[in-house]
Amino acid sequence: MALLASTSRRVPGDLKIELTDTENELCVLLDECCTDLRETKGLNTSCRIAGGWVRDKLLGMESNDIDIALSDMMGDDFAGHLAAFAKQKNVKTGAIAIFNPNPEQSKHLQTARIPIFGLELDLVNLRSEEYANNSRIPTAVTFGTPLQDALRRDITINALFYNVHTREVEDCTEKGIEDLKNGIVRTPLPPRETFLDDPLRILRSLRFASRFGFEIVPELGQSAQDSEIQHALVTKVARERVGEEMTKIMKGPDPLRGIQLVDHLSLYDSIFKVIPAEAIASLSAPLAPSITAVKAGYILKRIFDSDMPGVTSVHPTLISAVQEDSTATARLYLAAALTPYMGLTYLDKKNKTQSAVECAIRESLKLGTQYHFVDGIPLLFTAAQVLKNPDLEKFQTPSPRVALGLLLREKALHFPSSGVRWQFSLLFSLVHELSALYDPTTDQLDTSEATRLVELYNTFVNRVEELHLVNVGVQRHLLNGFQVGQILNAKPGPWTGQVLDRVMEWQLENPQGTAEECTEWLKGEHSAGRINISVGASGTPEPASKRARTKR
């Protein structure tokens, strides 16, 4: 399957920067401040807006991410001068914040931040960097020229400057403008040198390629597949940074393209399989090929785009549920990316069986509960195995309403506090089943079997709606554990959960029932011997009023 071109690609023909009134005021103030420094203090510096703001403005997009690159002056020094000069001009600024270098967050220089005109300016000096062989942290960072600074950036389209004094775009690499016009991702220096210095730039290249729908140049792709560089990605880059880049890809406009690029460049293991050696050694089975992730992502995108010719449309309830949750799309795409882990477990240090996909999220990506990745995705994987082939014939006992209702209350299927709703679970299960019917080499889907599956899942959703079970997952028990204990005159214990399950069954059979009616039913079931509760040492139920005696 060829790499998909993103529909997000927008490259204006003229590629020129149109400043807003606020941006123009800022440029005027920065220019005048530099003039004042030169004339009153004999200090020479110049200001250039760097990186993402320039790229986005050239693409006709607005950007509030304004990084100012200074020549021959540190950011904190200039921030102090700027605040004083702005005060003379009756321009209000906020408090100056100083951020020390944080290499793990790709912050290799001290940065000063100052709020002005409703914007937050980050001020830093133009730099030249040198790297050691075993670290992505520079061993030396010194003042540099615009060219030196540009060459040390990740890709050419991020190495452009906007000179606030001349009001011109400066393309020091002489490749950035053309690459932006042609939709190309390229490193300023040879990619091998760029990636060995900082392997995180591999993932940043993928992110911008997927975000803008740009093509990566062949030499970049070849370098990304180099075993030495992939080893550097594993050993030199903090996994938190890997997880952060993958999160941005999953939240971007075309996460499928990101998944495709990971597979295309043979990066899957370097990104998703950096887990403890004991976990790898005890995996219940080998990971499925990385193309499995591409297939799942492809099917998910086709469903979201309503683009599966010859196949019945997926039930709108499943799609609308995703649209109502701002984090669900990214979570489902990351789950698709992790489908090679489907069904796999490993043994932890205590020899207990654990979820392999949870280990991958926690260890390889260092992701937590933000966007419900580590708590929600493992539940989706469990649900996919529970819901596989959801023929309604499976859910007839004790009655369709009770059987389906209890199923939808299972934590693996519906657990909103972990970002899991039964609609997401059903959708992901369908994606997993449909992806097995897709052949990426021919770009063909078995439409006949796919239609059967989609109609089966749609029938399941229709039945849930007919039985008014859509919100059953959040339906509360009419009686809580304490009340059940009082009704049965017994101390709550391990038996309580089983009785509460019976209470929920009664509620599902009697959706209009009241707590009083449920209480009478519960008493009747107990009198008839159909409810078993724990017994005390004497062989009789322990009264709820019984208290432990204290020796006097």
Side-chain angles (χ1 to χ4, degrees), residues 15-212:
L15 282 185
K16 60 181 183 178
I17 289 181
E18 300 284 350
L19 297 180
T20 65
D21 291 342
T22 299
E23 290 167 342
N24 183 63
E25 286 184 279
L26 174 63
C27 288
V28 169
L29 185 69
L30 291 171
D31 180 51
E32 291 179 345
C33 182
C34 288
T35 299
D36 183 72
L37 281 172
R38 184 172 60 254
E39 293 177 349
T40 64
K41 295 182 170 35
L43 298 175
N44 289 307
T45 190
S46 58
C47 296
R48 293 169 172 82
I49 305 178
W53 181 90
V54 186
R55 178 201 65 225
D56 289 351
K57 293 290 287 188
L58 287 171
L59 290 174
M61 303 161 59
E62 291 306 314
S63 176
N64 292 320
D65 180 17
I66 300 183
D67 296 331
I68 304 296
L70 303 160
S71 62
D72 303 309
M73 183 175 286
M74 297 294 289
D76 55 346
D77 290 339
F78 185 81
H81 292 302
L82 179 62
F85 182 77
K87 186 176 181 180
Q88 296 175 18
K89 295 288 186 178
N90 294 318
V91 174
K92 186 177 180 180
T93 63
I96 298 171
I98 305 299
F99 299 92
N100 291 320
N102 185 349
E104 295 303 337
Q105 296 298 319
S106 292
K107 303 295 184 183
H108 304 311
L109 296 174
Q110 183 191 76
T111 303
R113 179 172 295 170
I114 179 171
I116 188 168
F117 296 126
L119 303 169
E120 285 195 339
L121 263 62
D122 281 354
L123 303 162
V124 70
N125 58 282
L126 291 166
R127 84 264 191 193
S128 175
E129 299 173 350
E130 295 179 8
Y131 292 82
N133 290 332
N134 60 348
S135 174
R136 60 179 290 266
I137 300 172
T139 55
V141 181
T142 60
F143 284 112
T145 65
L147 175 59
Q148 288 173 321
D149 189 286
L151 291 175
R152 282 302 177 185
R153 292 181 180 260
D154 50 7
I155 52 178
T156 57
I157 62 173
N158 291 341
L160 299 166
F161 297 111
Y162 181 75
N163 190 313
V164 303
H165 313 291
T166 64
R167 301 298 182 94
E168 293 179 345
V169 174
E170 296 176 346
D171 184 5
C172 298
T173 69
E174 299 182 353
K175 299 174 185 174
I177 294 294
E178 283 302 309
D179 287 348
L180 205 56
K181 286 181 179 179
N182 296 324
I184 287 175
V185 172
R186 182 200 317 269
T187 55
L189 293 172
R192 180 176 175 80
E193 179 179 348
T194 296
F195 292 157
L196 284 177
D197 280 349
D198 185 354
L200 183 67
R201 291 167 176 164
I202 300 171
L203 301 188
R204 288 178 58 83
S205 299
L206 267 60
R207 171 156 66 89
F208 288 108
S210 65
R211 176 182 173 185
F212 296 118

Side-chain angles (χ1 to χ4, degrees), residues 383 386-387 407-408 410-415 420-422 425:
V386 172
L387 290 168
L407 177 71
L408 296 182
E410 287 191 19
K411 178 180 178 180
L413 272 67
H414 190 87
F415 197 53
V420 175
R421 308 189 71 85
W422 67 266
S425 300

Side-chain angles (χ1 to χ4, degrees), residues 153 159 199 258 309-310 433 497 517 523:
R153 292 181 180 260
E433 290 210 67
E517 291 170 337
K523 290 178 178 178

Side-chain angles (χ1 to χ4, degrees), residues 40 70 130 137 139 148 175 190 198 237 240 243 256 262 314 344 346 350 352 356 377 380 407 427 463 480 548 550-551:
T40 64
L70 303 160
E130 295 179 8
I137 300 172
T139 55
Q148 288 173 321
K175 299 174 185 174
D198 185 354
V237 180
E240 290 85 352
L256 170 59
V262 169
V314 173
L344 299 189
Y346 73 100
K350 296 182 180 179
K352 291 184 178 180
I377 290 176
L380 290 175
L407 177 71
L427 178 60
R463 190 59 172 152
N480 60 34
T550 303
K551 291 183 180 180

Side-chain angles (χ1 to χ4, degrees), residues 515-548:
E516 292 75 16
E517 291 170 337
C518 186
T519 297
E520 291 305 311
W521 165 81
L522 185 59
K523 290 178 178 178
E525 289 293 287
H526 182 232
S527 298
R530 289 190 288 268
I531 286 184
N532 183 33
I533 59 178
S534 64
V535 294
S538 63
T540 58
E542 297 186 56
S545 60
K546 183 177 179 180
R547 297 290 184 269

